[in-house]
Amino acid sequence: MKIRRRIGIVSLGEAGNLGDDLILLSVIDAVAQSPDVAEVVFLAHGQAMDWDDIGDRLGIRLTPRRALSAGGLSSFSKVQTVFSDCDGIVFGGGGLLQDVHHPLRPFQWLRYLPPNIPVLAVGLGLGPLGDRWRRRFSGMPSPFSELFVRDEESRAIADGFGWSTQRSLDCVSSELVSRLFEPEDGGTSLGLALRDWPGLRPVDVAKRVDQIVVESRLSTVDAFVLESRCGGGPDVEFTRAVLEHVAAPSTLRPYDPAKIPDFLGAMSRCTIAVSMKLHSSALWGYMGTQIHPILYAPKTASLFHVPWRGLEILNEPHHPVLTEAGVPTTTEVIQRWLHEETVSGPVGRFSRSAVLSLQSENTFHGVVRKIAARF
């Protein structure tokens, strides 16, 4: 039996995103259930969760160690040392392999994977990916020892690259959520969870919100921003712009990583929700809230089992599909992988020329961002 005592986690945890923080908690919880694991180190992005409180609520037996994420100016060789002392790496989360928010985002996360260390990719939602990355990935083997994706659209993308792919459920489960907070009853507000997205106009969202508030005879709107950089950021500003057009009294609630139970408790008071974020939809689904979805990507359409037709504000409530017969949970996949007798390392690699080109471009973007932040 191959025993892995030190596990690394590459994810978007502690970056001010509730969904990504819950993914990180789910992976750490699953890894820590193995008695052979002595240490967990995860990629951290500067917005810390309260690990004393979270650890007590989830019953996690060990305290994970943070490894700060590297900036755009860090060299490829330096980044690869972050997890070089690990016996295995879990690569998890929905936003790792997409290029919407940064043209080099797939490279920014894959560069953390050192050679000759087994890597389990689990709960991934692939895309959107432009032609550039589709061509590049089609020309290289999978960078993962095993790859589990959370929806059929992601599986189709990976199959198109020629990568061996399996399905698993999303990392965030009802069992995990139920251990984090106590549901609250008696709310009369409409919940709102949005993200800034090209083509989506605040006035159109506000019109739909007002319509539902009137039809459902609700009194207020609670707007939950699941992704917030220290209380600000594009999603906060977009949501604020929507609320300026909403007729009902409203409250803006940016996510605070140090207060996850309070945030989830406030969400549970909503009887109806307009939900755009994937994990807000999953959470409200677990809470039994009626959901009116806004679809912005194939993964959100897949969650509700409706066809993906592009950005769309749906006119009717839909129920998210959160379990599927025969599809294992993330915890089951991780625990099996931790104790496999034979696990090969990842085989996919960027060529030396590709690394030089991508690293140079990434450094350039990092310099531009620093200059923009300064001036």
Side-chain angles (χ1 to χ4, degrees):
M1 179 179 292
K2 175 65 175 179
I3 297 177
R4 295 174 180 77
R5 298 191 58 80
R6 184 179 292 107
I7 299 299
I9 300 173
V10 177
S11 75
L12 295 168
E14 294 200 337
N17 184 310
L18 174 62
D20 291 324
D21 281 348
L22 292 176
I23 288 171
L24 174 62
L25 293 178
S26 173
V27 173
I28 291 176
D29 181 51
V31 169
Q33 290 181 34
S34 171
D36 297 320
V37 175
E39 185 177 14
V40 176
V41 55
F42 70 92
L43 202 60
H45 302 272
Q47 297 192 69
M49 290 183 277
D50 184 346
W51 282 104
D52 290 336
D53 179 50
I54 293 296
D56 289 343
R57 289 174 183 270
L58 295 182
I60 297 177
R61 64 175 177 81
L62 48 80
T63 301
R65 176 168 61 88
R66 294 181 176 91
L68 294 180
S69 59
L73 303 180
S74 302
S75 68
F76 181 79
S77 57
K78 179 181 179 180
V79 172
Q80 288 213 311
T81 65
V82 174
F83 297 106
S84 60
D85 62 346
C86 292
D87 300 305
I89 296 173
V90 179
F91 188 94
L96 297 170
L97 297 187
Q98 54 92 358
D99 60 0
V100 172
H101 297 97
H102 194 293
L104 297 175
R105 176 150 288 187
F107 172 71
Q108 290 175 337
W109 307 124
L110 291 174
R111 63 184 176 147
Y112 282 98
L113 306 181
N116 304 319
I117 294 179
V119 179
L120 171 68
V122 65
L124 286 186
L126 273 63
L129 284 168
D131 290 341
R132 175 190 183 187
W133 280 103
R134 287 177 179 267
R135 288 193 299 269
R136 186 179 293 279
F137 284 146
S138 294
M140 63 181 283
S142 171
F144 312 112
S145 308
E146 292 186 70
L147 169 58
F148 287 81
V149 297
R150 64 190 181 195
D151 55 70
E152 287 298 332
E153 287 75 9
S154 297
R155 186 171 191 166
I157 292 173
D159 288 347
F161 302 150
W163 297 355
S164 177
T165 314
Q166 302 176 69
R167 287 282 314 284
S168 66
L169 297 176
D170 184 74
C171 296
V172 181
S173 66
S174 60
E175 191 273 338
L176 177 84
V177 173
S178 67
R179 289 153 61 196
L180 281 173
F181 82 109
E182 292 293 332
E184 302 178 23
D185 297 324
T188 59
S189 67
L190 178 139
L192 184 63
L194 306 170
R195 68 177 306 170
D196 185 26
W197 197 257
L200 186 63
R201 301 193 310 162
V203 65
D204 294 332
V205 178
K207 181 179 179 180
R208 180 65 178 137
V209 169
D210 283 338
Q211 179 185 16
I212 297 172
V213 167
V214 171
E215 291 175 351
S216 305
R217 298 182 180 180
L218 299 174
S219 57
T220 59
V221 174
D222 274 341
F224 299 88
V225 185
L226 273 66
E227 184 171 359
S228 166
R229 185 70 181 175
C230 301
D235 291 356
V236 173
E237 295 309 313
F238 179 79
T239 304
R240 183 176 285 116
V242 171
L243 295 182
E244 289 176 356
H245 296 280
V246 170
S250 62
T251 302
L252 183 66
R253 301 180 183 273
Y255 169 59
D256 181 350
K259 300 178 180 179
I260 291 178
D262 294 340
F263 195 85
L264 294 176
M267 289 183 67
S268 72
R269 293 196 296 268
C270 301
T271 56
I272 299 175
V274 175
S275 180
M276 186 174 179
K277 298 281 285 184
L278 184 139
H279 282 108
S280 63
S281 298
L283 289 167
W284 272 318
Y286 290 135
M287 296 171 187
T289 305
Q290 183 187 100
I291 302 172
H292 296 257
I294 298 176
L295 308 180
Y296 73 92
K299 64 181 181 181
T300 53
S302 178
L303 180 67
F304 292 96
H305 278 205
V306 299
W308 167 243
R309 296 182 289 260
L311 180 65
E312 185 176 10
I313 302 175
L314 299 186
N315 293 322
E316 301 293 335
H318 287 70
H319 299 287
V321 180
L322 301 170
T323 61
E324 295 182 55
V327 179
T329 66
T330 297
T331 298
E332 291 170 341
V333 170
I334 291 175
Q335 291 181 346
R336 174 191 58 76
W337 177 78
L338 285 173
H339 297 95
E340 283 184 332
E341 293 187 4
T342 303
V343 177
S344 61
V347 294
R349 289 289 181 271
F350 293 112
S351 67
R352 180 173 177 80
S353 60
V355 168
L356 291 174
S357 174
L358 290 166
Q359 181 60 41
S360 297
E361 190 175 347
N362 197 57
T363 301
F364 172 77
H365 278 277
V367 171
V368 170
R369 289 187 64 183
K370 283 184 175 295
I371 293 174
R374 185 176 181 86
F375 295 102

